[in-house]
Amino acid sequence: MFLTPRQAPADALRETLPSPSGPPVPPAPVAALRSAVASADALLVVSPEYAHGVPGVLKNALDWLVSSGECVNKPVAVITASPFPTGGAHANAQLREVLRMMSGEVVTAACREIPAIGPKTDPTAERVTDEATLADLGVALAHLAATAAPLTP
């Protein structure tokens, strides 16, 4: 199973930052996020780059997963996009580092930085339409899928 943004509990992304002295039981949206991540065979993190970094909402959601163990040894890939020629390189590097610190197994062959994303998409359909980009994303997903062993038989 792959956890997609549409499956991720959106409320977990808006929860306040975790605190070591916070509640012993996480808020319900955070518990749902942790459960979804734990049951996924692999994680694909897709993000735009914001001010040369990771958007705060995404970083907040990852912070809730830092010490809970759902990402340990789980194959993960990062795909970033930017309207600039760098393709979100700063956010990509930051996300990979955070995921490695969380003991995720970053699948480098599955990570991508998509430069100049604007003309490669259909904004009405919210989809990538550029054939070369779609083909490359297919290769990236194949690399991630090849490393993902189902957690249950």
Side-chain angles (χ1 to χ4, degrees):
M1 172 178 120
F2 287 90
L3 179 63
T4 68
R6 303 261 189 249
Q7 296 167 318
D11 290 342
L13 303 177
R14 291 185 276 279
E15 287 295 328
T16 58
L17 291 173
S19 168
S21 61
V25 177
V30 172
L33 175 64
R34 287 177 176 174
S35 176
V37 170
S39 66
D41 298 321
L43 298 178
L44 174 62
V45 178
V46 180
S47 178
E49 183 171 277
Y50 181 74
H52 276 201
V54 178
V57 173
L58 175 57
K59 180 64 170 78
N60 191 26
L62 292 173
D63 286 344
W64 277 104
L65 299 173
V66 165
S67 62
S68 56
E70 291 84 9
C71 293
V72 173
N73 299 325
K74 192 169 298 271
V76 296
V78 174
I79 298 176
T80 54
S82 173
F84 300 106
T86 61
H90 299 284
N92 199 295
Q94 291 169 16
L95 285 165
R96 288 187 203 197
E97 180 59 27
V98 167
L99 292 162
R100 281 186 196 102
M101 190 281 311
M102 295 165 62
S103 298
E105 296 294 328
V106 175
V107 181
T108 304
C111 294
R112 296 291 187 274
E113 298 166 0
I114 305 172
I117 189 67
K120 298 175 182 175
T121 63
D122 175 347
T124 304
E126 298 181 339
R127 299 277 187 264
V128 173
T129 54
D130 179 70
E131 291 298 324
T133 302
L134 288 170
D136 188 44
L137 291 172
V139 170
L141 291 176
H143 282 295
L144 182 60
T147 64
L151 297 175
T152 55

